[in-house]
Amino acid sequence: MSGVGKGITASSIGVILQARGFKVTAVKIDPYVNIDAGTMNPTEHGEVFVLNDGFETDQDMGNYERFLNVSIPSDNYMTTGRVYQAVIEKERNLKYKGKCVQVVPHIPLEVIDRIHKAAELANADITVIEVGGTVGEYENILFIEALRMMNLRDPDDVACVMVSYLPVPSKLGEMKTKPTQHAVRALNATGVQPDIIIGRSNVPIDSVRKEKIALFCNMRPENVISAPDIESIYDVPVNFEKDNLSDMLLKVLRMKAKKPSDLTEWKNFVTKTKNAKKEVNIAVVGKYFATGDFVLSDAYISVIEAIKQAAYHNGAKAHLTWLSSEEFEGDASKTELKKLSQYDGIIVPGGFGSRGIEGKLAVIKYAREHKIPYFGLCYGMQLLVIEFARNVLKLDIANTAEIDPESPHLVIDIMPDQKKKMKEENYGGSMRLGAYVAHLKKGTLARKAYGDKEQISERHRHRYEVNPDYIEQIEKGGLVFSGKSPDGTLMEIAELPEKVHPFFLGTQFHPELQARPLDPHPLFMEFVRVALRLKK
Ligand code: GLN
């Protein structure tokens, strides 16, 4: 089922195989028909993760990049929609040479081709492939068929790992293996036998239950790995190796390890997560939290990870508080705003549309006036500029064209090429997406944070930009555009000089997308450093 930990399992398998000296890449298969994740609501599907090449993918691609510490191209991501689109295109181009093109084998063959291409591009020894969805449902059946066909072609080339959930019903207090047994039967019916089962549960699996699973699922008890809930996802690779999972996988694949497991770098980071003595309190002000009766922070997973990593590398644990921006609107807003002083730093992450905007602007104003470290990501940067225009430059009802195209002061506006796309209702994959280079201004906070680098490359996902007509006026007013596109036309970072505010900075790009546990992001590092320094 979704949320059981397939993504973290796949990423962790990648880490332990890397530690044996292999070049590893990861492929995600999402069963939905959408071509990419860009058009999906984040409260339903979680964060949209943007790759360097601009493709909008699932948050699992973020997990792979963070765990494997590599950048992954869009070739490593496929959906039902993308696969069908490719097959139909080939058919139209007579690539099937007059054959009747069928769901089986042509769709699974296309899937296999794509897997091979991803492996070749990365020059990978081993490719970890995550099939999304649940065994037994219609949606992913063709991907499991691809797995069967790959296995049939070369059984020594494929290891099949099933991640299964083992419930412990509270009234019973006993772990039940039946759902796993049924899942394996369902998988067997498609012609696939798992080599290894990762048993997810809130407690470890004991030997009695391991043997039961082994007996009913046609495998050896040692191939059932216990993966209980743990404090931190970063512990997972280390825990897997306690059960010798990499040896087990290599045995199935008939491969020899290039070296004994060396997880030193990874373990050093894990030690930092355990030894963090200080605490840094960060408020994240956004809107994609609620789904029915549940509050999810899935929509901001990269932001969360970026903050946590930066905190650990600064010897601190991050304590995150989710604040819904709408709480800062209307009558109660004054008392709500006062509560912001208890935080060491405030973040307004990316977002779209008008709901909760006035609340976010009130929060940014409060952070500016009370010198609370403020970090705006994408929308959070655009709103920083709007707040500055309204309250410092006194440009009445300054706004972004996204919310109020009639505003007399559109300090954030849509660029002509984007306007054209909107007219044509061309919404999918049409934003300014992916990695772009920016130049940093000497003597600024941003430049300092990046270790005095002159040039950086960061990932984008937005339609609107700082309006060129207002740049001069804004800069004269005291806001510094410390990062700009190489031709100087697009504003990439806005900040107040350090002598005015200790950290009041926003980025048009999404720095969180390139933050990695073993390579934390410089801007998040600086933000946390300042927050800790000012902590009362
Ligand atoms: N809605 C804004 C834009 O499209 C910001 C997007 C974002 O925060 N990712 O420009």
Side-chain angles (χ1 to χ4, degrees), residues 179-245:
T180 298
Q181 295 178 37
H182 275 290
V184 171
R185 293 248 165 104
L187 197 56
N188 285 162
T190 67
V192 174
Q193 165 66 32
D195 297 296
I196 290 161
I197 289 180
I198 306 284
R200 286 278 301 113
S201 191
N202 44 3
V203 291
I205 311 174
D206 61 12
S207 57
V208 176
R209 261 136 288 251
K210 273 191 184 177
E211 269 161 38
K212 205 167 180 182
I213 295 171
L215 180 66
F216 288 106
C217 301
N218 291 317
M219 52 204 307
R220 277 194 292 272
E222 60 269 25
N223 286 14
V224 181
I225 303 274
S226 170
D229 289 348
I230 35 175
E231 205 185 313
S232 143
I233 52 171
Y234 300 119
D235 292 331
V236 177
V238 182
N239 278 5
F240 277 174
E241 272 313 56
K242 282 186 191 149
D243 283 331
N244 302 318
L245 181 57

Side-chain angles (χ1 to χ4, degrees), residues 288 348-353 377-382 400 402 412-413 431-432 460-465 507-510 512:
Y288 300 118
V348 172
F352 294 84
L377 313 173
C378 203
Y379 216 7
M381 176 265 205
Q382 297 176 351
T400 159
E402 183 171 356
I412 306 293
D413 203 358
M431 284 187 245
R432 182 170 178 234
H460 293 249
R461 184 174 187 252
H462 57 104
R463 279 192 209 286
Y464 298 81
E465 304 278 354
T507 59
Q508 184 57 81
F509 49 82
H510 288 272
E512 70 273 17

Side-chain angles (χ1 to χ4, degrees), residues 124 169 262 280 323 436 512:
D262 179 9
V280 64
L323 301 175
Y436 286 91
E512 70 273 17

